Amino acid sequence: MNYRRLGEAGLKVSEISLGNWLTSGRKLDEDAAHAICERAWELGINFYDTADVYAHGRAEEILGTWLKTKPREQVVIATKCRGMMWDGPNGEGLSKKHIMESVDNSLKRLGTDYIDLYQFHWPDEETPMEESLEAMNILMIQGKVLYAGCSNYSVDELDNALDVSDALGLPRFASLQPRYNMFQRDIEFGLMPHCAEEGIGIIVWSPLEQGLLSEKYLSGEAPYGSRLYGTEEGCRWLNPANVKALQSLAEVAHSKKATLSQLALAWVLSHSEITSCITGATEIEQIEENAAASDLVISEEEFLQIEKILQDRERAVVEY
């Protein structure tokens, strides 16, 4: 496993990280989730991402019981706040009250004294950024949070936060967590270069487009039990242009004795602006496959070959 700095911060995290958005407390019980966390740890993954809204707190609890078995100083824990977690008008948002209540609740569920990376899950248009960052500042002074981050922010929203931080001497975001993968490349034209300029690390969610960029869909059909099986979304994603691209990308991967998933992750990591790819897993074999992508090197010739496949796909997919 290779490690990268979180932007210009001193914190180093594994290139492949483990998230539990749709797994712990939903698809996986505690024992199964712990087994995957344990295997990830054995493979050198030190970065674990969650959020208070995942399974309404249960995902944090499951990660917390596993965390008790590990040396806390060697694990990097990231969680988020913003979503509805209790009844009433202050049960969601990025007000000072919601943030201060949320962090204490997350600390209890995680069973730890501090959170390495605390992130605003998505923007709150009703709360001034000054108020949200003031709360983050208090948490850092108290030692409950080490680094601040955000998720699902646009360039303008990120700029607003940075302007407030610089003007008032409040914490700056060390990281941004956007969606990014071979089939979702919007951040290349705004967020990615802007984060590089500002020294902000990018932690990618859905680097495999929730499993689409894997070999299970190479036939053009969604296997029974898969996320896309029998869904309208499956019909939309498994169009001829996408299937052709998946098959061509798989050929590149196989020529390197790798899987499509590994190639997709290595391609994301080939961009120097990226710090880590958050991957999910419901089976130990999946985290083993994903972790191996950290050592997969894409040559310049292969990168150009992949780029042609992706550009051909982008032109053709408009028709569908």
Side-chain angles (χ1 to χ4, degrees):
M1 180 56 58
N2 298 305
Y3 302 86
R4 297 186 182 187
R5 286 176 59 197
L6 189 64
E8 291 184 352
L11 183 67
K12 295 179 181 179
V13 300
S14 50
E15 290 183 339
I16 302 297
S17 44
L18 181 64
N20 62 4
W21 171 29
L22 297 174
T23 54
S24 296
R26 292 182 178 175
K27 294 181 179 179
L28 300 177
D29 62 19
E30 187 165 12
D31 288 342
H34 283 184
I36 290 173
C37 286
E38 191 64 26
R39 186 60 182 134
W41 177 258
E42 293 169 352
L43 294 166
I45 292 175
N46 75 337
F47 189 25
Y48 298 80
D49 179 84
T50 187
D52 56 5
V53 293
Y54 296 170
H56 202 71
R58 182 61 181 145
E60 284 185 327
E61 290 176 348
I62 291 174
L63 181 59
T65 52
W66 173 80
L67 183 60
K68 286 183 174 66
T69 69
K70 294 293 167 283
R72 178 66 183 90
E73 70 278 4
Q74 294 185 30
V75 187
V76 179
I77 297 294
T79 191
K80 316 176 195 72
C81 71
R82 165 64 175 89
M84 178 64 74
M85 287 300 292
W86 59 86
D87 294 336
N90 295 305
E92 66 174 327
L94 293 174
S95 68
K96 187 177 292 186
K97 177 173 177 59
H98 185 81
I99 292 172
M100 301 300 286
E101 298 278 1
S102 293
V103 76
D104 283 340
N105 291 336
S106 287
L107 287 169
K108 290 176 185 176
R109 287 189 290 264
L110 289 164
T112 184
D113 296 327
Y114 67 95
I115 294 164
D116 297 281
L117 177 63
Y118 200 48
Q119 304 158 102
F120 297 159
H121 207 157
W122 66 90
D124 177 5
E125 297 79 8
E126 296 184 348
T127 303
M129 181 55 69
E130 292 88 340
E131 178 178 343
S132 302
L133 289 176
E134 283 173 3
M136 189 70 80
N137 190 50
I138 293 170
L139 297 177
M140 288 184 163
I141 292 171
Q142 292 176 339
K144 294 179 179 179
V145 169
L146 303 187
Y147 299 89
C150 63
S151 179
N152 303 307
Y153 275 50
S154 68
V155 171
D156 288 343
E157 289 161 342
L158 179 61
D159 266 345
N160 176 50
L162 295 176
D163 287 345
V164 171
S165 296
D166 294 342
L168 300 180
L170 295 171
R172 272 182 132 248
F173 290 140
S175 65
L176 170 73
Q177 192 177 124
R179 182 180 198 163
Y180 181 57
N181 58 62
M182 285 177 160
F183 285 7
Q184 301 278 350
R185 304 179 62 182
D186 293 349
I187 71 167
E188 292 180 2
F189 310 103
L191 279 171
M192 187 180 286
H194 196 54
C195 285
E197 182 180 348
E198 293 289 346
I200 295 171
I202 299 177
I203 305 162
V204 174
W205 64 269
S206 201
L208 299 178
E209 191 50 51
Q210 297 186 51
L212 178 66
L213 289 161
S214 69
E215 307 207 357
K216 69 174 73 171
Y217 299 111
L218 288 182
S219 68
E221 302 289 334
Y224 179 78
S226 66
R227 189 180 63 82
L228 296 181
Y229 178 78
T231 66
E232 194 172 311
E233 184 183 15
C235 295
R236 179 173 59 86
W237 274 116
L238 296 176
N239 60 64
N242 281 345
V243 173
K244 180 179 179 181
L246 290 174
Q247 292 170 344
S248 298
L249 291 167
E251 289 179 6
V252 177
H254 296 164
S255 72
K256 297 174 64 62
K257 296 185 176 7
T259 66
L260 174 54
S261 296
Q262 290 170 336
L263 183 75
L265 292 170
W267 177 85
V268 171
L269 291 169
S270 69
H271 297 80
S272 60
E273 301 89 345
I274 306 301
T275 297
S276 184
C277 293
I278 301 174
T279 63
T282 56
E283 299 175 358
I284 287 176
E285 291 77 13
Q286 290 174 330
I287 194 60
E288 291 175 336
E289 179 181 353
N290 293 340
S294 178
D295 291 324
L296 186 64
V297 178
I298 297 176
S299 69
E300 183 176 350
E301 181 181 353
E302 290 163 341
F303 190 87
L304 293 174
Q305 186 180 359
I306 292 169
E307 186 61 26
K308 183 179 185 306
I309 294 170
L310 296 181
Q311 289 185 4
D312 288 347
R313 175 239 167 217
E314 288 173 8
R315 284 191 291 267
V317 80
V318 176
E319 302 175 12
Y320 304 99

